[in-house]
Amino acid sequence: MNERSLAQQAAVRKATFSPAEEKTLRPFSIWEISQFMFDVPADTLRKKLADDPSLPQGATEEDGRQRWFSLAEINELRRRVRFRGKTLLPKRPAGRAMRVAVSNFKGGVGKTVVAQHLANAAALDGYRVLVVDFDPQATMTHSMGLVEVKEWNTVWGIMCRDLCREADRIAQAYDDPADCPYPTADELPEDVQSIGAQRVQDFIQKTSWPTIDIIPSCANAAFVEFASAQYRSMHKAWSFFGCVARYLDELPDDQFDLIIFDCPPAIGYQSLNAAFAADILYIPSGPGYWEYDSTTSFLGQLGDALEDISVGYEKIAQDAGIQLPKRFDDVRLLMTRFEASNPLHAAMMEAFRNVFGADVCRNAIEMTRAVEQSGRFQMSVYEQDYRQMTRETWKRARQSFDAAYDEFREVVLNAWERKNKTEEVEA
């Protein structure tokens, strides 16, 4: 069954990726750029291009009716063009990138779809994005065009590296490192040491999007849950829940603008690392009672896990520089697969809002044909060419995700500015 499935998987990639089975990002038309990215009339954009031949001019169709631009060309236009004196560059507060975890228990609620579309929308908005795939199913990794991934290049590798670094830091904290009751890095298993020797940038891979990088996942990364328990038993002073946060703190503040975590449908070592590293928690949920029930369980169990760590690991966290209890700058619930004309969906949306109030996102992700195809063909709505379906079908799906992204950007920027003000007061 696995062999037949792999053969079908290869056939899908061959049909949807380039002939070399490498995913490539399609170009974008002037109509898309003017209406959905720059928010200016198409004729105004065409005049700007005609007045300055040094600007990217795109590639013209054979009939000469439409020009198409790569994302790199679009970003150059953002940097160089102004309309009425207004820059096209997105707002970017000072400091490190904001980190958003997309997480829930329930499978099929659209965690990866939401994370993928938010990343794509942010990239089209001019932001530099890092995606971290915590899920061993690796759907996000595959959707970004990566096929062959080694487990030591995943979050598991980051945890091995962190264990080595923390083991040596803890030993050095003793007046005589020989008095440390815990192992140093050179006393850990050889495979952990070899993975731990990787550099901070070694885990970051390029994707089919020029301004989206990824820390990928793979099926073998499921081993991290077993390995992490083993590592904890080896080194009981290791703050296993802070690995990814410490790793991301090593990245230059200006390398990325936004970091998005695609989390597995479980609370384990990987999802706890995502929670402790995240500034904002986004919880997708479908419009049914079982999704509501699962979301309630997720909130309760995540809260219990974070509380248990705050109590049981207080001294270890303090020594590692981790502030407890863990607090998010914002938590939002996002309704997915929503059909406004469905009275049951409308009733569930009302129930969610009655319980969670303003924490429920105003804009749901609507279920459309384009959204269904995004999962079927490993392509987001933003990657799909509107010429392959009716323009209205594509436009409706795009507008649904754009509205959700606009609200997401508002949440992120507000949290970012609050964080900066808090840090200024503390300083």
Side-chain angles (χ1 to χ4, degrees):
M1 289 173 70
N2 178 248
E3 288 175 357
R4 293 199 300 269
S5 182
L6 288 172
Q8 178 61 31
Q9 188 181 63
V12 170
R13 286 175 182 150
K14 188 172 182 180
T16 58
F17 291 10
S18 69
E21 293 189 35
E22 293 181 1
K23 188 172 183 178
T24 56
L25 181 61
R26 69 175 179 88
F28 300 86
S29 68
I30 278 191
W31 171 71
E32 289 178 88
I33 297 169
S34 60
Q35 180 164 347
F36 295 104
M37 300 180 207
F38 292 177
D39 192 25
V40 297
D43 288 342
T44 301
L45 177 56
R46 291 190 184 95
K47 186 175 186 308
K48 281 280 188 182
L49 298 176
D51 291 344
D52 188 352
S54 72
L55 292 172
Q57 299 295 312
T60 307
E61 289 182 337
E62 291 182 5
D63 60 10
R65 296 177 55 190
Q66 184 66 278
R67 289 194 225 179
W68 296 81
F69 294 77
S70 68
L71 182 55
E73 290 176 316
I74 293 169
N75 284 333
E76 184 177 347
L77 291 175
R78 283 189 182 280
R79 291 189 295 270
R80 295 180 55 189
V81 173
R82 286 176 174 265
F83 290 99
R84 297 179 181 175
K86 182 181 178 182
T87 181
L88 295 172
L89 293 171
K91 185 175 182 180
R92 206 286 190 191
R96 66 161 174 79
M98 287 293 282
R99 307 166 187 171
V100 182
V102 181
S103 187
N104 200 342
F105 266 168
K106 189 78 170 66
V109 298
K111 291 185 295 293
T112 299
V113 169
V114 168
Q116 178 189 15
H117 281 80
L118 291 178
N120 289 177
L124 292 179
D125 201 20
Y127 289 108
R128 298 159 301 169
V129 182
L130 174 65
V131 174
V132 185
D133 192 351
F134 285 87
D135 192 344
Q137 295 178 85
T139 306
M140 173 66 84
T141 297
H142 297 157
S143 74
M144 289 291 176
L146 281 74
V147 178
E148 298 294 334
V149 175
K150 303 300 182 183
E151 56 266 28
W152 51 82
N153 290 327
T154 68
V155 169
W156 179 40
I158 289 175
M159 296 182 78
C160 288
R161 179 178 182 272
D162 184 80
L163 175 57
C164 291
R165 292 166 64 89
E166 282 295 286
D168 283 343
R169 180 192 65 78
I170 291 168
Q172 292 300 320
Y174 286 78
D175 293 335
D176 184 353
D179 293 335
C180 179
Y182 311 108
T184 56
D186 58 8
E187 296 174 311
L188 295 171
E190 290 185 4
D191 60 334
V192 174
Q193 293 184 49
S194 63
I195 296 171
Q198 294 189 89
R199 298 165 299 180
V200 67
Q201 298 291 340
D202 289 344
F203 299 96
I204 298 174
Q205 309 290 320
K206 295 295 182 185
T207 73
S208 55
W209 288 68
T211 51
I212 300 179
D213 291 343
I214 189 170
I215 296 174
S217 187
C218 66
N220 287 350
F223 178 68
V224 72
E225 297 298 321
F226 303 100
S228 299
Q230 180 186 6
Y231 302 156
R232 279 184 64 196
S233 66
M234 290 180 194
H235 201 302
K236 299 187 185 305
W238 178 45
S239 51
F240 63 91
F241 46 87
C243 301
V244 172
R246 282 189 288 265
Y247 167 81
L248 294 176
D249 285 342
E250 292 184 63
L251 298 178
D253 283 355
D254 61 352
Q255 184 171 356
F256 299 103
D257 306 312
L258 186 65
I259 301 177
I260 297 176
F261 306 151
D262 183 27
C263 299
I267 291 180
Y269 291 99
Q270 296 197 71
S271 54
L272 281 174
N273 261 274
F276 269 93
D279 302 304
I280 297 170
L281 179 63
Y282 246 64
I283 306 172
S285 178
Y289 175 76
W290 298 121
E291 287 92 344
Y292 171 80
D293 189 58
S294 181
T295 298
T296 301
S297 297
F298 171 73
L299 290 168
Q301 293 193 37
L302 179 60
D304 289 344
L306 296 179
E307 184 177 1
D308 288 346
I309 287 175
S310 295
V311 174
Y313 292 86
E314 183 177 7
K315 181 63 170 63
I316 290 175
Q318 184 178 359
D319 292 343
I322 299 174
Q323 185 175 357
L324 294 178
K326 166 65 186 180
R327 297 189 183 280
F328 295 104
D329 295 323
D330 211 328
V331 178
R332 296 296 171 111
L333 288 99
L334 174 64
M335 189 71 76
T336 60
R337 299 187 292 105
F338 184 73
E339 298 174 13
S341 60
N342 187 323
L344 293 177
H345 289 195
M348 283 307 302
M349 175 67 88
E350 184 178 358
F352 266 83
R353 286 180 171 150
N354 286 339
V355 174
F356 299 112
D359 292 331
V360 179
C361 293
R362 299 185 302 272
N363 298 284
I365 303 297
E366 294 185 26
M367 175 53 73
T368 67
R369 177 170 168 262
V371 173
E372 290 178 318
Q373 289 188 354
S374 71
R376 181 181 173 190
F377 296 114
Q378 298 185 7
M379 297 171 66
S380 73
V381 167
Y382 299 106
E383 294 171 308
Q384 294 177 45
D385 192 327
Y386 57 82
R387 294 171 296 181
Q388 303 302 317
M389 62 186 77
T390 66
R391 183 178 288 198
E392 286 306 310
T393 297
W394 178 88
K395 187 175 178 181
R396 179 185 163 198
R398 161 109 200 205
Q399 288 173 331
S400 174
F401 278 106
D402 280 354
Y405 168 72
D406 288 344
E407 185 176 352
F408 167 81
R409 179 180 56 195
E410 177 186 329
V411 169
V412 169
L413 290 175
N414 287 340
W416 204 336
E417 289 170 350
R418 288 197 305 270
K419 180 184 289 289
N420 284 347
K421 289 179 181 178
T422 301
E423 290 174 353
E424 287 174 6
V425 170
E426 292 176 350

